[in-house]
Structures are given as C-alpha cells and as structure tokens.
Amino acid sequence: MGRSGCISSVSSPGPGDVRIGAGRLQLGRQDTTVNLEDRDRLVLFEQVLRSLVPEVKGVAKRGVDLALEAVREEMRSVTGTPPSPQAEAQLRSRRDQVHARIDASSSTRDWQGEAFEREMQAMANELVPILAADVARRGMELAMAGDMAGAAVLQRQAQNLPQTMRARIERSLEPLQPDVARLCPRVRELAELNQGMSLRLDDGQRLELLRLKD
C-alpha cells in the first residue's frame, strides 16, 4: 500500500496453486506430506495470516475512499462546485466495484505496493473524461455569462486535469503510511515462520508463502 509497504505478496488460504489450513498443505490441490515441526509452523502461519489479510483489505478500502475524495476535492478546486450528479454516481459506482473486488480477493498482492497504485491510477484514468465533462459544462456556463477569461482558465485546467488529479490522489494516500507500518511486524513474523519451514516444491526450490520487499 504505497511505496513504503513492507509486503511484496501474501496469499491467504483459498483457490490457487497453494492452499494451507489446519496445518495441512496442498500444492496444486494435492496434499503434501508435512513433518510435525512444519505443521506447527503452518498452523501459526495461517492464524497470523487470517488476522492480517482483513486488515490489509481494510487499509486498501480506506485508500480507495481517500482517492475518491481527492477526486471530489480536485473538482471543487477546478470548478468551484461539487461533481455533477452523474459524476458523483460514477464515483460511488467505482467505489462499490473496487470494494467488492477487495472483499472477494484471497490475496493481498493486488491491494498494496505498486499494484494498488496502478489500481488507483486506472481509476483516475477512467474518471477523467467524466470529470472533464463537468469542467467543460462549467466553462460553458461562464462563457454564456460573459466571463470569457474564467472560461479560458477552466479550459487550461481541464487540459491539466489528468496530471493534477493523479498528484492529488497520491498525496491523499499519504495518511495510510502509519497503518501500513503497523502491519509490518506481523508480516515479518510470517516471513520468519516461512523461513523456518523445510517445505520444498517439486523442483527442489523452497516454498515461498510470501515475499518481503527489498
């Protein structure tokens, strides 16, 4: 979540190549033999992970809400008015879509670090045309009222809207950094448990249940 996140990828038990649960391990949906020490570590890993993933998702949802509020602030800054009802409906719809995807996911990999930033930028790119239409509408109102200078200013701001909105979204996510930092000790605990396991893949490589950022 942002560039200071401590996680590169953490997957929770669920459909996929690796599944863990109650000290059991499945690779490709096939049970894998686990010794007693690794079984204990898997149980602890699962417990910590199950408590961690909802919190990561919660931070991601707050990030989505902050980003969308930043979009609203950008519109108020440019036009002096809130987004139009159509634009506001699009903002709320996008929020609901992303929240639903976060709820349905079984991994944190899409909701932190560069992946989350890409999601926010994609959302901004999708909303720019809608918000630009709001700016154009306001500019037309000013022009019809005889304020040609004001209309010209809005036109220039509309051209810069993609850049200014992205910058505002990035700034809006900065308050999440303390939340991300508070998650890091448990992520390191997961890494230590994983490092202590003797589990190997079929090709002999160590099984990585998560990766930490360099």
Side-chain angles (χ1 to χ4, degrees):
M1 196 88 47
R3 291 182 175 83
S4 67
C6 56
I7 314 171
S8 175
S9 177
V10 179
S11 296
S12 63
D17 294 332
V18 179
R19 303 180 71 188
I20 60 176
R24 296 175 57 198
L25 173 68
Q26 289 185 336
L27 299 178
R29 299 190 181 277
Q30 297 294 321
D31 283 336
T32 298
T33 302
V34 177
N35 63 40
L36 290 178
E37 290 184 358
D38 283 343
R39 186 184 304 275
D40 289 341
R41 290 189 178 94
L42 281 172
V43 169
L44 288 174
F45 189 97
E46 182 185 9
Q47 290 173 350
V48 176
L49 182 59
R50 287 192 181 278
S51 69
L52 178 66
V53 168
E55 293 190 44
V56 174
K57 290 183 178 183
V59 174
K61 286 182 177 181
R62 290 196 293 277
V64 172
D65 294 345
L66 288 171
L68 290 177
E69 185 56 35
V71 172
R72 295 184 180 96
E73 291 175 359
E74 183 68 16
M75 287 305 302
R76 286 192 289 266
S77 173
V78 172
T79 67
T81 61
S84 68
Q86 178 189 8
E88 181 61 33
Q90 289 286 342
L91 291 174
R92 292 180 181 275
S93 174
R94 195 69 173 91
R95 174 192 181 277
D96 292 344
Q97 290 172 11
V98 179
H99 274 222
R101 286 175 52 205
I102 293 172
D103 286 334
S105 67
S106 60
S107 170
T108 67
R109 66 171 58 91
D110 295 330
W111 310 116
Q112 45 74 44
E114 294 179 358
F116 182 76
E117 291 176 3
R118 286 195 298 270
E119 177 71 28
M120 293 299 97
Q121 294 304 332
M123 182 171 63
N125 292 338
E126 178 182 317
L127 294 171
V128 161
I130 298 168
L131 302 180
D134 262 16
V135 175
R137 174 186 56 80
R138 179 58 177 158
M140 185 175 297
E141 291 174 354
L142 291 175
M144 293 179 65
D147 186 359
M148 302 306 295
V153 169
L154 275 183
Q155 183 178 10
R156 289 194 298 272
Q157 290 176 320
Q159 293 173 347
N160 295 328
L161 189 59
Q163 293 77 23
T164 57
M165 189 163 68
R166 290 191 188 99
R168 190 181 288 268
I169 287 176
E170 287 185 6
R171 292 194 300 271
S172 76
L173 299 178
E174 291 176 359
L176 293 179
Q177 298 306 330
D179 294 328
V180 174
R182 281 193 290 271
L183 299 176
C184 288
R186 276 183 291 164
V187 174
R188 286 191 288 269
E189 181 181 357
L190 288 174
E192 291 171 1
L193 287 169
N194 192 181
Q195 286 296 316
M197 297 176 188
S198 61
L199 302 171
R200 301 283 175 176
L201 298 172
D202 291 340
D203 60 5
Q205 294 185 8
R206 177 182 292 275
L207 175 63
E208 287 188 334
L209 297 175
L210 84 162
R211 295 175 183 171
L212 298 184
K213 280 191 171 183
D214 296 331

